[in-house]
Amino acid sequence: MFTAAKLTLLLSAFLLPTALFQPSAAPADSPEYTADGQLKLPENYRQWVYLTSGFDMSYNPAMQMPGHHMFDNVFVDPASYKAFVETGTWPDKTVMVLEARGAHDKGSINQKGNYQGDIMGIEVHVKDEARFPGKWAFFGFDDAKVSKMIPQSATCYTCHTAHGAVDTTFVQFYPTLLSIATSKGTLSDSYRKETASAAPAATATAK
């Protein structure tokens, strides 16, 4: 006859191994999609790891800037950041958010320089190897909470493939990660060629 104590021990012996073999849940910040394949905006991205900010950046020399200044802030989900620090590259299910904000020069006690204002747009860069032919995809968000994938014919794909320092991402502009990628040997061939070709020109200008 089992006492209550013996029954508890017996149940524990069966339940503990079962718990150990339960499949682990997906990371909380993995990309989420609607039934028709649209990406859901990760609304908690400002609690993620901050990578960098740019000011009036443009990768197209012919592009005319609008009549106002812009900041862009880049965030990445914590699990992917941790993996990058350990390996020098991005794991599957990486989610990166670029948040564009208007810049202001007049307000309160500010006398010089610029500070950030309202959000002007959000772009999300997702690595999902099973879902996207090129592993990565871009999504643009305005006021909506979901977004269709930007078509792969868009120039952002070819630009990132041709110039991304690590795994088609612009790690060259993320100062806390560039040194990690350099030490891990994960910089792309195209980026290393770009920096090598730019070095002599920079030296000549310095002279």
Side-chain angles (χ1 to χ4, degrees):
M1 185 174 180
F2 290 111
T3 64
K6 287 182 178 179
L7 185 58
T8 300
L9 289 173
L10 185 61
L11 288 173
S12 298
F14 282 103
L15 292 177
L16 182 58
T18 303
L20 291 174
F21 286 102
Q22 288 293 323
S24 58
D29 298 314
S30 292
E32 296 184 28
Y33 307 93
T34 62
D36 60 350
Q38 296 189 75
L39 181 71
K40 296 180 181 180
L41 177 67
E43 297 190 55
N44 66 330
Y45 70 86
R46 273 199 154 260
Q47 300 173 26
W48 291 1
V49 178
Y50 164 77
L51 294 180
T52 193
S53 291
F55 182 69
D56 281 353
M57 292 183 68
S58 173
Y59 309 133
N60 183 351
M63 181 177 178
Q64 298 295 317
M65 294 300 295
H68 57 272
H69 297 290
M70 294 286 291
F71 283 95
D72 58 67
N73 306 308
V74 183
F75 304 85
V76 67
D77 67 279
S80 297
Y81 176 82
K82 181 180 179 181
F84 190 99
V85 171
E86 294 173 352
T87 67
T89 192
W90 300 111
D92 192 30
K93 302 300 187 291
T94 293
V95 182
M96 307 179 78
V97 177
L98 185 148
E99 173 196 80
R101 287 181 177 266
H104 301 289
D105 59 356
K106 294 181 175 62
S108 186
I109 61 172
N110 186 59
Q111 300 297 314
K112 294 181 179 180
N114 292 267
Y115 61 92
Q116 299 191 37
D118 294 335
I119 294 177
M120 307 298 289
I122 293 175
E123 186 177 274
V124 179
H125 197 189
V126 178
K127 185 176 185 180
D128 198 331
E129 298 181 9
R131 182 176 288 266
F132 308 125
K135 297 184 181 180
W136 290 86
F138 291 94
F139 297 81
F141 293 85
D142 292 319
D143 296 327
K145 300 299 183 183
V146 297
S147 172
K148 292 182 178 179
M149 171 183 166
I150 296 175
Q152 289 190 308
S153 57
T155 57
C156 51
Y157 291 92
T158 53
C159 182
H160 276 255
T161 299
H163 303 288
V166 177
D167 197 6
T168 77
T169 65
F170 291 152
V171 169
Q172 59 262 49
F173 302 128
Y174 308 156
T176 59
L177 297 187
L178 182 58
S179 59
I180 294 173
T182 302
S183 66
K184 300 287 186 183
T186 56
L187 295 173
S188 67
D189 291 340
S190 59
Y191 173 72
R192 287 190 284 108
K193 288 177 181 177
E194 282 183 355
T195 53
S197 62
T203 302
T205 301
K207 292 180 179 179

